[in-house]
């Protein structure tokens, strides 16, 4: 039985931190997992910038409320869910993802959580498990699923390479160059076609 594991940001919805960087005029927050492979380092960097500027969860959620899924994302997800089970595995946080899940028709998402102080300051974050995407894919395989995975960033490579079939989607030129063995697609139709071919 197949289960497809998809990244969220950059695949189904725009990058939350880039949208927040643009809304606040803080270019340093545009750095994502496409630029920094070490997620822990990236999040510590982000939390320091938020503290420096006195920004908290509310300000981020206000921006998230204005974000819509990428054009065609919901239709792609709906069709994919009609042919196999789908889980979104993201390094984002429950506190960020909830309004976006509503717009995508409430698909299943596995993500992380934030530690938020009473005044709304984001003080820390809790990862669901170590190497969450890779670990989740291996766990699904251990209970009898064949996994198909797709994502756009460095932190997706573990689950993509560990899966029966893995695809890059709207990734960077650098990642595509570094991983020429991974099929890379730019449109939902191409990705859906490739997944259907694997499922047969």
């Amino acid at each position: 039985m197949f289960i497809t594991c998809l990244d969220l940001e950059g695949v189904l919805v725009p990058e939350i931190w880039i949208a927040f960087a643009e809304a606040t005029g803080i270019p340093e927050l545009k750095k994502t997992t496409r630029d920094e492979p070490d997620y822990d380092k990236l999040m510590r960097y982000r939390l320091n910038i938020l503290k420096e500027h006195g920004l908290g969860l509310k300000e981020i959620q206000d921006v998230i409320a204005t974000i819509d899924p990428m054009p065609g994302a919901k239709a792609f997800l709906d069709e994919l869910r009609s042919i196999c089970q789908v889980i979104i595995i993201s390094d984002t946080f429950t506190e960020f993802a909830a309004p976006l899940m509503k717009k995508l028709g409430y698909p299943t998402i596995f993500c992380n959580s934030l530690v938020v102080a009473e005044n709304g300051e984001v003080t820390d974050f809790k990862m669901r498990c170590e190497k969450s995407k890779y670990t989740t894919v291996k766990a699904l395989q251990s209970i009898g699923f064949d996994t198909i995975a797709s994502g756009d960033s460095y932190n997706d490579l573990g689950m993509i390479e560990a899966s029966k079939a893995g695809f890059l989607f709207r990734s960077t030129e650098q990642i595509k160059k570094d991983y020429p063995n991974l099929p890379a697609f730019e449109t939902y139709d191409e990705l859906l076609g490739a997944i259907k071919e694997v499922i047969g």
Side-chain angles (χ1 to χ4, degrees):
M1 185 185 273
F2 282 99
I3 193 161
T4 300
C5 302
L6 298 173
D7 177 35
L8 178 66
E9 294 176 67
V11 174
L12 298 169
V13 303
E15 293 280 352
I16 291 167
W17 287 98
I18 290 177
F20 189 61
E22 286 167 357
T24 55
I26 304 169
E28 295 87 348
L29 286 173
K30 284 189 176 179
K31 191 184 277 195
T32 71
T33 48
R34 288 167 156 230
D35 315 297
E36 174 54 72
D38 185 332
Y39 192 71
D40 190 71
K41 187 175 162 186
L42 178 63
M43 274 307 298
R44 300 273 166 225
Y45 167 82
R46 288 166 169 169
L47 294 187
N48 285 335
I49 294 170
L50 292 178
K51 193 175 174 67
E52 222 173 90
H53 291 269
L55 295 166
L57 181 60
K58 185 190 179 302
E59 288 80 6
I60 301 171
Q61 286 177 331
D62 286 348
V63 172
I64 292 169
T66 69
I67 297 174
D68 285 319
M70 291 174 169
K74 187 177 182 303
F76 159 74
L77 203 52
D78 288 347
E79 189 168 345
L80 184 57
R81 287 164 78 188
S82 76
I83 58 168
C84 69
Q85 295 295 313
V86 180
I87 297 178
I88 296 169
I89 307 175
S90 173
D91 277 338
T92 193
F93 305 95
T94 307
E95 296 83 353
F96 291 1
L100 295 166
M101 292 306 100
K102 185 180 180 180
K103 292 177 182 180
L104 285 169
Y106 295 107
T108 300
I109 182 167
F110 293 173
C111 57
N112 306 304
S113 57
L114 293 170
V115 180
V116 184
E118 275 181 31
N119 66 356
E121 183 191 338
V122 182
T123 56
D124 204 357
F125 58 98
K126 286 184 180 163
M127 300 300 278
R128 193 170 45 80
C129 56
E130 206 178 325
K131 291 184 184 165
S132 62
K133 298 184 180 194
Y134 172 80
T135 306
T136 303
V137 155
K138 295 308 280 182
L140 290 167
Q141 290 166 357
S142 78
I143 54 170
F145 287 101
D146 280 324
T147 60
I148 299 167
S150 184
D152 68 326
S153 297
Y154 284 105
N155 64 337
D156 299 313
L157 294 168
M159 72 170 180
I160 290 171
E161 293 189 310
S163 290
K164 181 156 192 173
F167 309 108
L168 292 172
F169 186 71
R170 295 182 183 167
S171 192
T172 64
E173 290 310 314
Q174 189 58 54
I175 293 174
K176 286 190 276 193
K177 202 173 113 187
D178 291 346
Y179 295 85
N181 56 313
L182 296 177
F185 301 117
E186 296 299 317
T187 72
Y188 291 123
D189 284 348
E190 289 173 329
L191 182 57
L192 192 62
I195 294 169
K196 281 179 173 175
E197 214 169 282
V198 175
I199 294 170

